[in-house]
Amino acid sequence: IYPHHGADAESLIKAADLAMYDAKGRGRNNYRLSSRGANVAVDELFELEKSLRGAAERGEMAVHYQPQVDITSGRIVGMEALLRWQHPERGLVMPDQFIPLAEETGIIIPLGEWVLRQACQQNRRWQQHGLAPFRISVNVSGRQLLQQDFAEKVVAALDECELDAQWLKLELTETSVLQNAEEVLGLLRQLKSIGVDISIDDFGSGYAGLAYLKRYPIDTIKIDKSFIDGLVGNADNRAMAQAMIAMAQALGIGVVAEGVENTDQLTFLYEHQCLKAQGFYLARPMPAEAATSLLQARCH
């Protein structure tokens, strides 16, 4: 509202934009008014957005890799590519601080393409070094899924990196799959025809109906960390995790537990036949060089 929240159009639009972010953060379907503190925060938000544009081209972005492990043998059976931003002034900016901003502004589209190429290139390098091949997992945002040429971009990245499609896994959230369901279903079928593996990340967190597991061409579900956190001392979480594992097995879908942080969680998963896991207890995300050293050590 002029002049309380700004003396010119640019200031008012910035203030309104932050109020929008605030409203969305409170569950959407409501409104918020700007405030003096919000005006300061919106300036910081716009500065962060400005820095985010072109960050990959300036060499500020890096991809770290977190192993997915077969808990019966300790063998690494996959890697998840995770984006990190080393800001020249702010230092390490955590993904939960910039990924939502990238989603809102559309920056996630070129950023996601960059991560996809980096991950495919790295997986190809590991194969060229004689390491046993495995799938590299890349997170895909809802904005990327709505691109009409997304499948073509995946094919182009695989061709550019000379990586066979069977060694790429795309991880999607429940929400992104169920929004624009018909378009996404067609895209997933297209990706499956290419040979790409499809995984649902943070499974259980979206509280979506489970019928889509039968309808969509899904290869793997990743049990959300919130359920794994509560395995010890929470009977409801144990029951939910056990039900997810049993359901996936009945449907012929693979299961990975994410966020494993202690032996008790690992024991529960082993006893209930969820044999693939990732988390700090097994290995933290690491730069490509460290991941290469770990893979070489495990091979010997």
Side-chain angles (χ1 to χ4, degrees), residues 52 55-56 60-66 80-86 92-99 102 107-108 110-116 118-119 137-139 144 285-286:
L52 187 56
E60 298 169 13
M61 292 292 182
V63 179
H64 286 198
Y65 300 90
Q66 185 172 31
E80 181 178 1
L82 298 165
L83 187 60
R84 297 290 183 264
W85 183 15
Q86 189 65 41
L92 184 64
V93 184
M94 299 307 293
D96 61 356
Q97 293 177 275
F98 71 87
I99 292 296
I107 299 173
I108 195 68
L111 201 52
E113 293 173 18
W114 182 83
V115 173
L116 176 63
Q118 293 291 313
S137 298
V138 178
N139 294 285
Q144 290 176 277
M286 62 193 78

Side-chain angles (χ1 to χ4, degrees), residues 11-49:
S11 299
L12 291 168
I13 290 170
K14 283 184 178 181
D17 218 21
L18 185 71
M20 178 191 69
Y21 283 119
D22 191 12
K24 286 183 176 181
R26 294 170 183 265
R28 301 174 181 261
N29 197 30
N30 67 86
Y31 71 89
R32 304 294 296 171
L33 290 176
S34 182
S35 66
R36 184 179 299 276
N39 287 341
V40 174
V42 79
D43 285 337
E44 293 181 358
L45 191 68
F46 273 78
E47 284 300 316
L48 193 65
E49 178 187 337

Side-chain angles (χ1 to χ4, degrees), residues 116-133:
L116 176 63
R117 290 195 303 274
Q118 293 291 313
C120 289
Q121 286 173 358
Q122 185 58 61
N123 202 16
R124 180 61 180 150
R125 287 192 201 102
W126 284 327
Q127 292 182 10
Q128 290 172 331
H129 288 164
L131 296 168

